[in-house]
Amino acid sequence: MSEAATSSAKTPVDFWFDPLCPWAWMTSRWVLEVEKVRDIEVRWHIMSLAVLNEDKIDELPEEYREMLATKAWKPVRVVTAAWQKHGAEILGPLYTALGTRIHNNDEGPTVEAIAAALDEVGLPADLIEYADQEDFEYDAQLRASHKEGIDKVGQEVGTPVIAVPGADGEQIAFFGPVVTPAPKGEEAAKLWDGTLLVASIPGFYEIKRTRTAGPDFSNL
């Protein structure tokens, strides 16, 4: 069987992330674990917490507003520029390199962390110049990618957004799953099987409980 045929036989999972979001990071590590135990193929897409919240910025807590203003734009601009200049296939490796620094290593979304991630995946160092480009060259592409994910799932969500095949093969999108720590092995497979199960039920929308623990990166 050819490589193309093998790839096309895999179950597609579309995943929208903002590199700043720790919960998206946890879910992304889970879905990569699922790739090891189920026949799936993750396709990475960008969304933005800054874009998501720009129309309700005055309603947000001051600390969150400050975070969006000072931290949210830099990494997502650089990742978008890398995508536009070097193709969608760079999104997964760059997200891993960047997220490991921001979250696992607790470096935060600093210019230094972003520059190191670019270097790790072999991207040009001058992509870092997009971090502070207020009149962002690829703003339209960023917003289009963000809108694609949000249009699938609705406005009252955050990151991550995943889209998986439903009962009739049409994609069903969800916010989440929100989980900590990221499940490994058979636990990862069980959560994936459950995700497909609820996606197969017409009219299913939500299961939720209050989070009582923060992101746990200890097994990543």
Side-chain angles (χ1 to χ4, degrees):
M1 182 179 292
S2 70
E3 182 177 346
T6 301
S7 178
S8 65
K10 294 183 177 182
T11 300
V13 184
D14 287 289
F15 192 109
W16 280 263
F17 68 92
D18 183 318
L20 186 64
C21 178
W23 296 105
W25 176 245
M26 300 295 294
T27 306
S28 73
R29 300 310 93 182
W30 160 70
V31 82
L32 286 179
E33 183 74 9
V34 176
E35 277 195 325
K36 302 175 185 177
V37 294
R38 292 290 186 268
D39 202 18
I40 72 167
E41 180 180 31
V42 183
R43 303 183 297 203
W44 302 100
H45 309 271
I46 300 168
M47 65 184 295
S48 166
L49 290 170
V51 172
L52 181 69
N53 289 286
E54 63 185 356
D55 290 337
K56 51 187 176 184
I57 195 72
D58 292 337
E59 304 169 17
L60 300 174
E62 182 177 353
E63 183 178 355
Y64 195 72
R65 292 200 307 270
E66 179 69 13
M67 182 275 295
L68 292 177
T70 60
K71 298 180 179 181
W73 284 111
K74 294 178 188 294
V76 80
R77 283 173 178 155
V78 173
V79 173
T80 301
W83 161 44
Q84 289 300 299
K85 286 177 169 285
H86 299 278
E89 64 274 8
I90 199 61
L91 285 175
L94 181 55
Y95 183 29
T96 291
L98 187 55
T100 298
R101 287 169 171 79
I102 291 175
H103 303 296
N104 295 9
N105 299 349
D106 200 26
E107 297 176 33
T110 63
V111 169
E112 293 78 12
I114 300 169
L118 291 172
D119 181 66
E120 179 180 330
V121 299
L123 286 170
D126 60 6
L127 283 170
I128 197 64
E129 296 173 7
Y130 288 97
D132 293 312
Q133 190 182 74
E134 292 188 8
D135 188 15
F136 182 43
E137 181 177 347
Y138 300 110
D139 186 68
Q141 291 87 342
L142 167 59
R143 291 175 183 273
S145 179
H146 175 91
K147 183 177 185 297
E148 182 185 12
I150 289 297
D151 283 352
K152 288 179 180 293
V153 75
Q155 292 294 325
E156 298 304 316
V157 300
T159 58
V161 169
I162 66 169
V164 302
D168 58 1
E170 182 179 353
Q171 277 196 324
I172 301 295
F174 297 109
F175 161 57
V178 175
V179 60
T180 186
K184 300 287 187 178
E186 186 57 27
E187 283 194 345
K190 287 179 180 179
L191 182 55
W192 169 252
D193 294 343
T195 301
L196 286 186
L197 177 60
V198 296
S200 73
I201 307 300
F204 174 83
Y205 291 100
E206 184 176 11
I207 293 177
K208 188 172 184 179
R209 63 175 178 162
T210 299
R211 291 198 299 263
T212 58
D216 179 355
F217 308 127
S218 61
N219 68 342
L220 299 181

